[in-house]
């Protein structure tokens, strides 16, 4: 049983694939093959518009006729012979007496033409290629099933079919020849003998009915993506292929919005025990997704999906508090209108439900009628369009603690309804459709980062869409692989220790130094203040940025001859004497509030300074590194600029620089360009500004599948904006980007312990050595340097020796099975905010540091 979707039947080459696959299946299993096809892509959309009375019907029908004639020619078929009758039938629907009133039976007949045309063309083409293919009308085999309480629309245009048949039906089907048959998806026979439709995307379900009725070996859904993914791959390129699913999870993913499989297609196969597969017509060799009853159950989030066009109906009781029968009253009215309710939220006086546009006709007429009816028993409010965003996976309830980042992401949107399914398979958030834009990639990343989506489980999670489409990006091997011998030797001198590779540091510095649009570069020394590193960075032409008196003192100790003009002082909530000390050193001071000027006028009078602004928004890899917006302590809100300027003028203070730094680990290269544009606009108002400082925040690819930051795209964005405001010097303040990848932590395994199924590898490095995992849930690769030639095939949590549950360097990491105490372990990309944040908690000593030339 093979089903091919719209894009799989719209090109000649795809039909060659269809023919080849069908023949292969027939030969392999000496079996009958039934091929179900959709309409050519876009055709059902066009027919739906005509059915709804939108646009010029005859122009639309002529365009469709022409499209099929052209395609017939592309297939080297004679259009008149093959399509003459079908196109006549299509045109006849426009002169049909029902055309004006457009009743549902007429609409069904019109919609059916897409599949009838495509299957007719396909059968003729496959026959012409010498394949022994027959054609049959699906309506002769699939009968619509009348369901209780269905409204007229659903009984005709969103039908289910009878899914059990007697032997006579089977014998009749088996008597057809030849062995390979082509038929239509999407259409069935109504009890009145006319056409019924299975609903948008319903061809999958046609295939499933046929597969179940015929006890097929397998139902294969051939489409334009190589399987079901953890999210719509077109919206989330990092979505991972789900290689194996059980029916329940597949059902949940399909129901909650993954268009790749029609939600009603799973039950027939599940009941009949027929396995399903989702495969890609363009990449037929990829294994795709298998769905069956035997897939191992892995707890965790498997997918995130989104449904648009969701309608929320909020009903406020106008009667008594907790009035008996209120729910019965309102639901009775939904039943009366034949509307099926999806999600439900309730309180003592309010019940809010959602209507899914896939299951209901929810146009303005239907909603007006429903509202009028409901108004008799409650106060009604309709909220639309909404988007329902659903996390799907087994054991959602026990995952809540891992979802803090997900909650944080939603924290910025208005959530109308949260619903947790009683089968513990999904958690759904309903928000305004406009707010859902761009949210899925963020949520998907948060699910992986938090460990809620266990992507390391290779039994379920395959490659990402990005990897499939672009191939595996070859990333330069990290420096520590080449220098393994030296590192093992250094570890002899004691662990834990940080080791820094200067060539890597220089390479990063030079990449930024080459960006012409940038006039001034300041390294934020808080990331790593090692003297050798500071000197190397200054040698590459960078200035230094300090945030405390201690950092300033350190800079002038390490580099006594540094020009103070090359040093910035950008503190946060520092005491008065630190500002005074910084002015005394002659460095550039940045202020970010009015109160400092008001309280300490003598410190600032007659000085020049830079002003740090809060542009009203923030960004970054974790909530704790977002440094803009109301919730952040940094920066003067932009609307207060004028008040600050007045205060500054009164003290004869000159604002020569504007600065904004909104967060860290920001992925969009456009971010800095936008910051620059905002600052330039404000600087124009002030008239005294010479320099715009757009901060740092450049990301580092900590994870193996992360994309390295696109410095070129960033540079060209800046060049464009610089050209628009050439009068300002452009300054940046990178920290992490320069030093993260040059540093590693060397540690020794202390103990390897297996506790109730969880294996833990303990290190002598922990949260006191490298705080980022505990502080930000940061991800750092962990390797067993002593056993680099052994395969890393055993899962373990990597923990430190501190008496804190949070002392975890990494969870569910793959390490060699033979890992034992004494092995030298390496934690990668630890050069930024590593040693700088190390501490002596539990009275464990600070780590050692080495620099490799
Ligand atoms: P066909 O015409 O072959 O039936 P559809 O357009 O109905 O194809 O379904 C395939 C599309 O489903 C993909 O192109 C993809 O954009 C979308 N899709 C949405 N969610 C998912 C998901 N989780 N996994 C795979 N595809 C998805
Ligand atoms: N052609 C129909 C649609 O686009 C059915 C399908 O392709 O599954 O909705
Ligand atoms: Mg489809």
């Amino acid at each position: 049983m093979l089903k091919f979707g719209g894009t799989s039947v719209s090109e000649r080459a795809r039909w060659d694939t269809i023919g080849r696959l069908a023949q292969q299946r027939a030969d392999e299993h000496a079996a009958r093959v039934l091929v179900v096809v959709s309409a050519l892509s876009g055709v059902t959309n066009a027919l739906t518009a005509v059915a709804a009375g939108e646009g010029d019907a005859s122009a639309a029908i002529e365009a469709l006729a022409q499209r099929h004639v052209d395609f017939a020619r592309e297939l080297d078929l004679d259009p008149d012979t093959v399509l003459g009758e079908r196109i006549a039938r299509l045109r006849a629907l426009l002169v049909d007496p029902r055309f004006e009133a457009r009743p549902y039976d007429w609409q069904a007949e019109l919609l059916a033409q897409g599949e009838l045309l495509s299957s007719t063309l396909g059968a003729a083409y496959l026959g012409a290629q010498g394949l022994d293919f027959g054609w049959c009308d699906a309506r002769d085999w699939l009968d619509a099933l009348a369901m209780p309480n269905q409204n007229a629309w659903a009984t005709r245009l969103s039908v289910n079919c009878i899914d059990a048949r007697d032997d006579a039906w089977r014998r009749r089907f088996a008597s057809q020849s030849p062995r390979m048959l082509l038929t239509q998806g999407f259409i069935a026979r109504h009890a009145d003998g006319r056409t019924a439709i299975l609903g948008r995307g319903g061809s999958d379900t046609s295939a499933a009915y046929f597969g179940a009725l015929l006890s097929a070996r397998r139902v294969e859904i051939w489409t334009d993506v190589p399987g079901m993914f953890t999210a719509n791959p077109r919206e989330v390129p990092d979505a991972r292929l789900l290689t194996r699913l059980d029916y329940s999870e597949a059902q949940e993913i399909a129901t909650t919005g993954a268009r790749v499989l029609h939600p009603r297609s799973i039950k027939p196969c599940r009941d009949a025990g027929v396995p399903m597969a989702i495969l890609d017509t363009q990449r037929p060799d990829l294994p795709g997704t298998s769905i069956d009853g035997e897939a191992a159950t892995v707890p965790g989030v498997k997918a995130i999906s989104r449904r648009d066009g969701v309608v929320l109906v909020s009903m406020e009781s106008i009667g008594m508090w907790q009035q008996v029968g209120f729910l019965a009253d309102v639901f009775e009215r939904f039943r009366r209108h034949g509307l099926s309710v999806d999600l439900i939220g309730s309180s003592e006086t309010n019940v809010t439900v959602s209507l899914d546009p896939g299951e209901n006709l929810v146009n303005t007429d239907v909603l007006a009628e429903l509202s009028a009816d409901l108004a008799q028993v409650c106060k009604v409010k309709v909220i639309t369009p909404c988007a329902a965003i659903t996390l799907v996976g087994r054991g959602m309830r026990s995952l809540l603690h891992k979802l803090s980042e997900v909650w944080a992401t939603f924290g910025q949107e208005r959530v109308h309804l949260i619903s947790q399914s009683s089968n513990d398979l999904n958690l759904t958030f309903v928000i305004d459709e406009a707010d859902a834009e761009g949210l899925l990639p963020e949520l998907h990343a948060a699910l992986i980062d938090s460990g809620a989506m266990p992507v390391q489980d290779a039994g379920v999670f395959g490659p990402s869409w990005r990897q499939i489409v672009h191939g595996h990006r070859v990333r330069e091997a990290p420096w520590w692989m080449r220098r393994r011998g030296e590192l093992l030797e250094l570890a002899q001198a004691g662990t834990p220790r940080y080791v820094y590779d200067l060539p890597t540091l220089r390479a990063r510095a030079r990449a930024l130094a080459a960006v012409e649009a940038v006039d001034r570069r300041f390294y934020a020394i808080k990331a790593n203040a090692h003297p050798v590193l500071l000197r190397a960075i200054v040698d590459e032409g960078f200035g230094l940025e300090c945030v405390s008196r201690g950092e300033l003192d350190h800079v002038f100790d390490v580099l006594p001859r540094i020009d103070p003009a090359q040093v910035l002082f950008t503190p946060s909530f520092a005491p008065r004497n630190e500002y005074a000390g910084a002015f005394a050193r002659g460095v550039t001071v940045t202020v970010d509030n009015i109160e400092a000027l008001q309280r300490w006028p003598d410190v600032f009078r007659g000085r020049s300074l830079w002003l740090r602004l809060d542009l009203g928004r923030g960004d970054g890899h974790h909530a704790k590194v977002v440094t803009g917006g109301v919730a952040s302590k940094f920066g003067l809100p932009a609307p207060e600029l004028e008040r600050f300027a007045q205060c500054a003028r009164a003290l004869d203070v000159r604002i020569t620089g504007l600065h904004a730094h909104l967060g860290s680990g920001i992925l969009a290269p456009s971010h800095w360009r936008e910051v620059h544009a905002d600052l330039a606009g404000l600087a124009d108002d002030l008239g005294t500004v010479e320099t715009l400082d757009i901060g740092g925040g450049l990301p580092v690819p900590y994870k193996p599948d992360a994309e390295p930051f696109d410095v070129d795209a960033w540079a060209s964005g800046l060049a464009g904006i610089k050209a628009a405001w050439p009068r300002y010097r452009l300054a940046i303040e990178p920290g992490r980007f320069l030093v993260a990848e040059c540093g590693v932590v060397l540690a020794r395994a202390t103990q390897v312990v297996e506790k109730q199924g969880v294996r833990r590898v303990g290190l002598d490095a922990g949260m006191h050595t490298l705080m980022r995992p505990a502080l930000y849930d940061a991800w750092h690769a962990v390797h067993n340097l002593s056993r680099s030639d052994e395969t890393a095939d055993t899962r373990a949590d990597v923990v430190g020796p501190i008496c804190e549950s949070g002392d975890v360097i990494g969870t569910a990491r793959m390490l060699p099975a033979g890992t034992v105490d004494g092995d030298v372990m390496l934690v990668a990309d630890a050069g930024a905010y590593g040693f700088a944040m190390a501490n002596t908690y539990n009275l464990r000593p600070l780590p050692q540091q080495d620099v490799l030339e």
Side-chain angles (χ1 to χ4, degrees):
M1 177 70 251
L2 287 79
K3 177 260 168 177
F4 293 88
T7 50
S8 305
V9 296
S10 300
E11 281 170 40
R12 179 173 178 150
R14 304 276 156 84
W15 276 102
D16 293 329
T17 308
I18 296 176
R20 205 180 62 243
L21 287 166
Q23 188 68 59
Q24 256 175 24
R25 298 292 183 271
D27 295 346
E28 265 166 29
H29 307 297
R32 294 194 68 115
V33 174
L34 179 62
V35 172
V36 170
V37 292
S38 291
L40 306 193
S41 58
V43 168
T44 310
N45 286 348
L47 290 168
T48 305
V50 175
E54 290 160 11
D56 177 347
S58 57
I61 294 298
E62 282 319 307
L64 283 175
Q66 192 56 46
R67 165 137 185 234
H68 287 87
V69 166
D70 291 346
F71 191 43
R73 293 214 175 90
E74 190 189 326
L75 296 174
D76 288 327
L77 299 171
D78 174 39
D80 289 339
T81 326
V82 178
L83 293 178
E85 227 177 282
R86 290 248 161 269
I87 289 179
R89 183 78 207 104
L90 177 64
R91 289 190 177 126
L93 283 165
L94 293 191
V95 291
D96 189 292
R98 295 171 295 173
F99 173 61
E100 283 306 319
R102 295 182 288 104
Y104 292 135
D105 62 343
W106 174 84
Q107 292 192 23
E109 225 174 303
L110 178 69
L111 291 174
Q113 302 307 314
E115 268 68 10
L116 288 165
L117 281 159
S118 66
S119 61
T120 304
L121 273 175
Y125 178 72
L126 295 175
Q129 305 307 302
L131 292 169
D132 193 13
F133 250 99
W135 180 94
C136 64
D137 188 328
R139 292 169 295 188
D140 294 342
W141 303 99
L142 296 182
D143 287 322
L145 180 67
M147 307 266 279
N149 300 322
Q150 263 185 328
N151 59 22
W153 172 82
T155 346
R156 182 64 68 174
L157 295 176
S158 182
V159 302
N160 292 267
C161 289
I162 296 170
D163 62 359
R165 286 296 193 157
D166 53 17
D167 283 346
W169 185 93
R170 279 201 192 86
R171 274 198 302 277
R172 188 162 66 90
F173 192 90
S175 69
Q176 294 182 96
S177 61
R179 277 202 304 140
M180 294 192 287
L181 285 173
L182 190 66
T183 193
Q184 312 76 38
F186 195 45
I187 64 175
R189 181 78 64 205
H190 193 275
D192 66 7
R194 291 198 289 268
T195 304
I197 295 289
L198 275 69
R200 288 311 306 266
S203 292
D204 302 332
T205 302
S206 304
Y209 283 131
F210 276 115
L213 291 167
L214 297 166
S215 306
R217 180 178 296 273
R218 177 157 103 144
V219 169
E220 299 181 353
I221 306 289
W222 290 86
T223 180
D224 59 354
V225 287
M228 205 175 231
F229 281 71
T230 52
N232 183 351
R234 310 209 185 264
E235 196 176 354
V236 184
D238 288 321
R240 304 279 293 261
L241 175 66
L242 292 160
T243 48
R244 184 102 191 255
L245 289 172
D246 64 20
Y247 292 114
S248 324
E249 280 177 320
Q251 176 71 66
E252 211 66 24
I253 298 173
T255 313
T256 57
R259 187 167 45 118
V260 65
L261 201 54
H262 193 251
R264 291 189 202 151
S265 65
I266 295 157
K267 184 171 181 300
C269 290
R270 179 186 198 155
D271 291 349
V274 175
M276 306 176 83
I278 303 175
L279 298 152
D280 187 339
T281 319
Q282 216 185 332
R283 306 170 183 88
D285 300 328
L286 294 180
T289 301
S290 308
I291 302 168
D292 55 56
E294 279 121 53
T297 54
V298 177
V301 178
K302 301 295 158 46
I304 172 159
S305 18
R306 159 176 173 184
R307 271 168 299 163
D308 282 345
V310 169
V311 176
L312 276 189
V313 183
S314 154
M315 293 157 285
E316 196 81 31
S317 155
I318 43 182
M320 303 271 290
W321 193 254
Q322 288 187 329
Q323 175 195 326
V324 172
F326 175 56
L327 287 180
D329 260 0
V330 298
F331 284 125
E332 160 58 21
R333 282 156 216 263
F334 283 89
R335 189 180 70 90
R336 218 181 282 160
H337 291 266
L339 292 169
S340 99
V341 161
D342 184 24
L343 308 166
I344 303 174
S346 71
S347 72
E348 287 91 339
T349 58
N350 175 288
V351 51
T352 299
V353 302
S354 76
L355 298 174
D356 185 338
E359 291 295 318
N360 295 290
L361 177 69
V362 282
N363 59 26
T364 39
D365 292 347
V366 171
L367 292 176
E369 279 172 30
L370 174 73
S371 302
D373 198 355
L374 286 169
Q376 297 172 359
V377 285
C378 59
K379 237 175 30 218
V380 196
K381 196 165 112 206
V382 174
I383 309 167
T384 187
C386 292
I389 293 181
T390 306
L391 314 185
V392 180
R394 222 160 260 298
M396 291 305 303
R397 280 173 217 161
S398 52
L399 282 172
L400 293 178
H401 67 288
K402 290 194 175 167
L403 299 179
S404 58
E405 259 190 81
V406 170
W407 302 120
T409 309
F410 277 115
Q412 289 155 31
E413 316 299 345
R414 203 173 118 81
V415 178
H416 295 299
L417 181 72
I418 299 179
S419 144
Q420 191 247 325
S421 69
S422 42
N423 60 6
D424 204 17
L425 276 174
N426 87 48
L427 188 63
T428 299
F429 302 81
V430 182
I431 58 179
D432 285 338
E433 210 177 277
D435 290 341
E437 279 325 306
L439 206 57
L440 255 61
E442 241 181 87
L443 287 169
H444 191 266
L447 286 170
I448 295 181
D449 285 350
S450 61
M453 184 183 276
V455 289
Q456 70 285 346
D457 196 312
V460 177
F461 296 90
S464 71
W465 168 253
R466 200 196 292 280
Q467 283 167 343
I468 292 170
V469 175
H470 300 297
H472 287 262
R473 226 168 358 91
V474 190
R475 235 163 81 187
E476 204 190 325
W479 64 268
W480 45 263
M481 283 191 181
R482 289 191 307 274
R483 307 191 81 164
R484 173 172 175 260
E486 289 164 84
L487 290 171
L488 286 172
E489 215 164 285
L490 283 172
Q492 299 295 330
T495 51
R497 66 198 304 124
Y498 277 87
V499 184
Y500 309 111
D501 179 64
L502 280 183
T504 301
L505 171 71
R506 291 199 187 99
R508 298 293 174 274
R510 284 171 196 170
L512 294 187
V515 176
E516 278 175 20
V518 175
D519 304 296
R520 309 185 68 187
R521 302 166 185 83
F522 298 92
Y523 165 60
I525 79 159
K526 62 179 182 288
N528 189 328
H530 194 289
V532 179
L533 271 53
L534 291 189
R535 287 191 203 106
I537 290 170
V538 170
D539 281 349
E540 297 300 331
F542 280 71
L544 301 174
E545 189 240 347
C546 301
V547 295
S548 71
R549 178 188 193 141
E551 285 191 359
L552 274 180
D553 291 348
H554 180 69
V555 161
F556 286 95
D557 280 353
V558 172
L559 296 147
R561 282 204 295 276
I562 191 166
D563 176 359
Q566 285 286 69
V567 180
L568 297 182
F569 182 58
T570 316
S572 169
F573 285 88
R576 170 191 167 124
N577 65 354
E578 294 203 11
Y579 290 94
F583 280 121
R585 283 207 185 264
V587 305
T588 304
V589 173
T590 299
V591 174
D592 74 348
N593 60 76
I594 297 180
E595 287 79 355
L597 298 194
Q598 289 171 334
R599 302 274 309 153
W600 311 321
D602 296 344
V603 174
F604 294 97
R605 185 166 290 115
R607 305 274 187 192
S608 291
L609 51 72
W610 287 11
L611 170 63
R612 176 171 184 169
L613 288 167
D614 176 351
L615 299 177
R617 57 181 194 274
D619 207 341
H621 67 85
H622 187 274
K624 287 191 186 151
V625 300
V626 174
T627 52
V630 190
S632 155
K633 67 169 178 160
F634 301 97
L636 178 85
E640 308 230 346
L641 179 57
E642 185 41 43
R643 206 156 71 82
F644 185 94
Q646 275 171 14
C647 197
R649 276 194 294 272
L651 293 175
D652 195 20
V653 165
R654 207 177 149 78
I655 306 166
T656 54
L658 284 187
H659 167 58
H661 172 78
L662 306 192
S664 180
I666 298 168
L667 297 175
S670 59
H671 163 85
W672 291 268
R673 202 176 56 208
E674 290 157 12
V675 168
H676 185 284
D678 285 1
L679 289 181
L682 296 168
D684 286 353
D685 297 341
L686 286 175
T688 51
V689 173
E690 294 151 15
T691 307
L692 299 180
D693 177 349
I694 56 170
L698 278 59
V700 165
Y702 287 104
K703 292 200 173 165
D705 56 355
E707 293 285 325
F709 184 59
D710 189 345
V711 175
D712 293 340
W714 178 71
S716 68
L718 292 182
I721 201 80
K722 184 72 193 298
W725 279 280
R727 59 187 165 285
Y728 299 120
R729 289 201 290 177
L730 174 53
I732 58 168
E733 292 177 7
R736 168 196 321 281
F737 183 82
L738 293 181
V739 292
E741 289 159 286
C742 83
V744 296
V745 177
L746 296 180
R748 284 218 189 250
T750 52
Q751 305 181 29
V752 178
V753 174
E754 194 98 28
K755 180 181 155 189
Q756 291 168 317
V758 180
R759 187 182 168 83
R760 290 188 177 85
V761 174
L763 306 185
D764 57 7
M767 62 190 288
H768 63 306
T769 323
L770 176 65
M771 218 157 98
R772 298 190 70 249
L775 189 61
Y776 310 127
D777 299 320
W779 198 97
H780 287 268
V782 181
H783 289 262
N784 185 331
L785 212 55
S786 301
R787 294 171 199 277
S788 350
D789 43 354
E790 295 174 25
T791 26
D793 53 4
T794 308
R795 186 175 312 166
D797 288 358
V798 180
V799 301
I802 296 295
C803 290
E804 289 282 344
S805 298
D807 187 20
V808 178
I809 301 274
T811 42
R813 297 312 177 81
M814 300 311 279
L815 290 170
T819 301
V820 289
D821 45 83
D823 282 358
V824 176
M825 309 288 290
L826 177 143
V827 185
D829 304 322
Y833 307 100
F835 185 87
M837 287 188 181
N839 57 68
T840 58
Y841 184 36
N842 284 189
L843 296 189
R844 293 197 175 274
L846 286 177
Q848 307 292 309
Q849 297 185 90
D850 297 296
V851 181
L852 296 176
E853 200 21 83

